[in-house]
Amino acid sequence: MTNRVIIVVLGKQGAGKGTQCKRLAQSLGIPHVSTGDILRAAVRDKTPLGLEVEGILTAGGLVNDELVGRLVKERFAEADAQGGALLDGYPRNQAQATLLEEILGDDGIKLVINLEVSSEMVAERLSARRVCQECGAIYRDTDIEAISGTCEKCGGDVVQRPDDQPEAILRRLATYELDTAPLLNFYEARGLLVAVDGNQTTDEVTAAILNVVRERQLA
Ligand code: AMP
């Protein structure tokens, strides 16, 4: 095992993974690696990858394991990820979890956070969620940036994700239960899993996660 701080954040869509990872990345000085953000940027920029996956993202389906694994491997090879990373949206199923262990080799995952939220909270958050198409900043539909359509951080367009429409939300949540939730047992058995109550305020959730990170002497 090396000292590279690889932290996986699991939780349903709308649990707050993106919001928390952005904050933790700042506090811990390691990058937020979101496979969803990487794929959305490719769709926005109409790259060959983006054109290939656009339909899958809009429908709320999963992109194939090999392709996403390659993206993660490439991202981990970049200079800013050598000290560690916060993984958001990956792994999504057992095949990806196995591949991730191969990709990481000796580095290994140091901690897996499960952000637990009620179904009511998730449905409410997802329908209110708006995102900046440029930098991925997350807003609520009542925020001034969401109303004006302009991101306060980068000036990009603030929009509703196509997969935050009701039908795609249902599909994504069903996929989570079927494919991703079983990973909780997998990581629990490895002694890596810690549950955090995601129904608290944003600040409280960040503080709770940072406590765990310090307890485990990862910061
Ligand atoms: P997210 O932002 O994590 O909700 O991801 C948005 C969409 O990107 C998902 O609904 C999938 O279509 C795709 N995606 C993100 N991460 C993965 C992954 N690990 N495996 C397969 N598809 C993914």
Side-chain angles (χ1 to χ4, degrees):
M1 269 291 176
T2 67
N3 290 331
R4 199 179 192 194
V5 181
I6 306 287
I7 300 176
V8 170
V9 180
L10 293 178
K12 288 180 196 141
Q13 288 75 9
K17 299 186 296 291
T19 301
Q20 292 301 330
C21 284
K22 284 183 184 35
R23 296 170 137 231
L24 295 166
Q26 288 229 318
S27 299
L28 301 173
I30 52 177
H32 168 207
V33 174
S34 156
T35 44
D37 282 353
I38 296 171
L39 292 165
R40 272 187 294 280
V43 170
R44 180 198 65 208
D45 296 342
K46 300 192 173 13
T47 66
L49 167 69
L51 295 174
E52 186 182 337
V53 301
E54 182 169 14
I56 300 172
L57 261 72
T58 303
L62 285 187
V63 173
N64 85 62
D65 296 336
E66 198 196 324
L67 196 162
V68 185
R70 210 162 58 231
L71 296 176
V72 170
K73 192 171 177 181
E74 283 168 11
R75 185 65 187 85
F76 276 171
E78 289 179 31
D80 67 336
Q82 297 319 300
L86 288 146
L87 260 179
D88 160 13
Y90 192 89
R92 280 286 227 277
N93 57 32
Q94 185 58 56
Q96 294 184 6
T98 305
L99 182 58
L100 179 59
E101 293 198 331
E102 272 174 42
I103 293 172
L104 292 175
D106 280 349
D107 292 327
I109 296 170
K110 301 298 187 301
L111 174 66
V112 179
I113 296 287
N114 179 28
L115 267 184
E116 292 183 320
V117 279
S118 66
S119 302
E120 298 77 46
M121 176 80 97
V122 160
E124 196 269 326
R125 280 190 189 163
L126 288 179
S127 56
R129 176 161 69 182
R130 299 293 181 274
V131 294
C132 171
Q133 265 187 318
E134 291 302 319
C135 72
I138 300 163
Y139 297 101
R140 285 182 62 86
D141 58 354
T142 46
D143 291 338
I144 186 67
E145 295 82 1
I147 294 164
S148 71
T150 305
C151 178
E152 64 162 359
K153 298 192 172 73
C154 75
D157 289 338
V158 175
V159 299
Q160 183 169 35
R161 282 170 47 170
D163 60 351
D164 279 344
Q165 303 291 337
E167 215 172 287
I169 290 175
L170 284 180
R171 181 161 179 204
R172 288 159 63 217
L173 288 171
T175 304
Y176 182 85
E177 289 307 327
L178 194 69
D179 293 335
T180 312
L183 294 181
L184 298 175
N185 286 336
F186 176 75
Y187 288 125
E188 170 102 74
R190 283 168 160 64
L192 291 170
L193 189 73
V194 177
V196 168
D197 178 5
N199 298 299
Q200 309 173 85
T201 66
T202 308
D203 283 345
E204 285 168 344
V205 175
T206 308
I209 299 174
L210 284 173
N211 264 342
V212 176
V213 169
R214 289 192 193 108
E215 270 166 26
R216 301 233 163 178
Q217 299 184 334
L218 298 172

